[in-house]
Amino acid sequence: MKGIILAGGNGTRLHPITLGVSKQLLPVYDKPMIYYPLSVLMLAGIRDILVISSPRDLPQYRAVLGDGSSLGISLSYAEQLAPRGLAEAFTIGAGHIGDESVALILGDNIFHGPGFSLLLQEHVPHTDGALLFGYPVRDPERYGVGEADDRGRLVSLEEKPARPRSNRAITGLYFYDNDIVSIARELRPSPRGELEITDVNRHYLARGKAHLVDLGRGFTWLDTGTHDSLLEAGTYIQALERRQGLRIACVEEVALRKGFISPQECYRLGERLGYSGYGRYVMDVAESLRGAGPEERGGSIGAEHGPRRGIGAAVGLKA
């Protein structure tokens, strides 16, 4: 399965702070926003990922993320010349997708919850059609809303309904089989001139091949598209990390626990980050898992759990 992170748009709701920098490179507490969606794809076991953004912003992404090889993954980049809808990601990324299935995640979405990696491992390998994720909200009339039967099959899909049939908002994480490429190519722009992801999902709904996974109690889904929501997301991450002693969406830790890199490689990544708290955490993670087997390393993933800070000086992994 291939992965796509859509990090386009002009971030106009966040002006003036996005006049010179991409929204998805803004900090959410202690790391760039794009680390959060990147960690989700890595948790799903996806290692070949395309980042789509504007021509202005792509050099910044390359500077921050590189080619992904240090994390044991492959990152490539493609331009979206103007915001023409989420579904355009599949026409831009058609060559990247090839004949495989694909996951699309929006660059400003944050997911966190217990057992999230296990949930992905349970559902993603069996993607047949469209796999969507629903999150309960108090104001479903503001979202695209899905309703599923007791087997998880999507039975209705409404965009900002006046009388919602469900309180499950469709989040910015989507998994599709390879039919997505031809479906996206056949889409026509909506009245607002965009290729709509809702129209894609309706194609799969009409075929009876759309499924909805419920992100229930204990999960958090955050959209960081406004000043208030960006601040709230940072405060949420800060509170969790301070209370639990972990780093949410630490991509180095995810890479280590998924077996993409070794403890020695992980330690060196922490060293490169100097004396920052984040860098020390990465070195502590590497030190704590030195000599552990794959099963032990994969026991708890960084987006969900992590080792307590204060393990002590991380030494002995430089070689």
Side-chain angles (χ1 to χ4, degrees):
M1 176 176 282
K2 299 295 183 69
I4 296 177
I5 302 175
L6 185 57
N10 297 317
T12 53
R13 290 186 296 168
L14 286 169
H15 282 175
I17 59 176
T18 51
L19 289 175
V21 63
S22 173
K23 172 178 67 176
Q24 292 85 359
L25 289 174
L26 295 175
V28 177
Y29 184 48
D30 58 351
K31 61 190 73 68
M33 187 186 300
I34 198 168
Y35 274 36
Y36 296 88
L38 176 59
S39 71
V40 170
L41 295 184
M42 292 170 65
L43 284 172
I46 298 171
R47 303 178 69 170
D48 195 349
I49 299 168
L50 176 69
V51 178
I52 298 177
S53 190
S54 69
R56 182 201 74 170
D57 295 325
L58 278 180
Q60 300 174 51
Y61 285 103
R62 289 191 175 96
V64 172
L65 300 174
D67 64 3
S69 58
S70 64
L71 297 173
I73 62 176
S74 175
L75 292 174
S76 53
Y77 301 88
E79 296 181 349
Q80 185 181 41
L81 298 179
R84 298 193 184 98
L86 306 186
E88 189 184 30
F90 303 112
T91 58
I92 293 173
H96 169 72
I97 298 168
D99 59 0
E100 297 191 37
S101 55
V102 64
L104 170 68
I105 188 168
L106 305 187
D108 60 358
N109 275 219
I110 295 175
F111 295 84
H112 178 259
F116 190 36
S117 63
L118 296 177
L119 184 70
L120 294 172
Q121 291 168 30
E122 176 186 354
H123 291 281
V124 170
H126 310 294
T127 299
D128 177 23
L131 179 65
L132 313 176
F133 291 81
Y135 185 79
V137 295
R138 290 181 298 177
D139 48 355
E141 65 277 1
R142 294 181 53 237
Y143 300 89
V145 177
E147 179 187 14
D149 63 19
D150 56 4
R151 295 178 298 169
R153 189 170 57 90
L154 194 69
V155 296
S156 73
L157 184 63
E158 303 172 286
E159 187 66 29
K160 298 181 180 179
R163 296 182 178 179
R165 299 174 58 179
S166 163
N167 71 336
R168 270 22 183 202
I170 304 298
T171 70
L173 176 61
Y174 317 87
F175 292 83
Y176 299 106
D177 62 18
N178 193 253
D179 290 346
I180 185 60
V181 176
S182 59
I183 290 172
R185 283 172 174 160
E186 293 170 3
L187 287 180
R188 295 294 178 263
S190 67
R192 63 176 184 165
E194 296 190 359
L195 301 180
E196 306 287 355
I197 198 73
T198 299
D199 291 338
V200 166
N201 295 333
R202 285 187 177 131
H203 271 78
Y204 283 101
L205 174 62
R207 298 179 182 182
K209 297 185 68 176
H211 305 272
L212 187 68
V213 176
D214 185 27
L215 298 177
R217 295 180 62 180
F219 277 88
T220 298
W221 169 53
L222 302 171
D223 180 338
T224 53
T226 68
H227 295 101
D228 286 343
S229 61
L230 180 62
L231 179 60
E232 289 167 1
T235 302
Y236 172 81
I237 298 299
Q238 179 194 43
L240 277 181
E241 292 191 352
R242 284 187 172 183
R243 180 174 300 175
Q244 300 179 9
L246 55 79
R247 298 273 171 168
I248 296 169
C250 175
V251 292
E252 295 84 359
E253 181 181 5
V254 175
L256 174 59
R257 293 186 181 275
K258 294 293 289 184
F260 299 167
I261 59 175
S262 68
Q264 290 78 10
E265 291 168 320
C266 183
Y267 186 89
R268 287 195 289 269
L269 292 177
E271 277 190 313
R272 294 175 192 172
L273 297 172
Y275 293 99
S276 69
Y278 185 96
R280 290 195 301 271
Y281 175 85
V282 171
M283 289 188 284
D284 281 351
V285 168
E287 176 67 12
S288 70
L289 294 178
R290 180 177 56 164
E295 292 185 1
E296 295 171 284
R297 288 202 299 269
S300 58
I301 301 294
E304 304 166 337
H305 307 287
R308 297 290 178 184
R309 291 185 61 188
I311 291 173
V315 295
L317 291 176
K318 295 182 180 181

